[in-house]
Amino acid sequence: MNHYDVTIRETLEVKMKVAANSREEAEQFARNQWKRGEVVLDASHFTGVEFHAKRYSRDRGER
């Protein structure tokens, strides 16, 4: 029987309007808000899921 490592990746997204002088400044503002916990994403922001499986050998740990 084969064995697999399966990675499950969920994507959460939220859009926010930001007044800024540049794209970089807008991203930094949003990043800072997120780091301070002022923007919190939860299950209501779910936009998708991906599954990726990679086979490995139990004997040699090959992938």
Side-chain angles (χ1 to χ4, degrees), residues 4-61:
Y4 297 85
D5 283 329
V6 179
T7 300
I8 303 170
R9 178 177 298 150
E10 293 183 331
T11 303
L12 306 176
E13 293 183 8
V14 65
K15 288 185 182 179
M16 52 191 295
K17 293 196 186 314
V18 174
N21 293 315
S22 67
R23 180 182 58 82
E24 292 83 6
E25 186 180 298
E27 288 178 358
Q28 188 61 49
F29 177 84
R31 184 175 291 109
N32 290 342
Q33 290 226 316
W34 177 78
K35 283 182 178 180
R36 289 192 301 264
E38 296 173 21
V39 176
V40 178
L41 285 74
D42 60 25
S44 69
H45 299 101
F46 177 83
T47 61
V49 63
E50 298 175 8
F51 297 87
H52 298 281
K54 291 186 180 182
R55 185 174 152 188
Y56 71 93
S57 167
R58 290 179 93 186
D59 297 330
R60 297 186 300 201

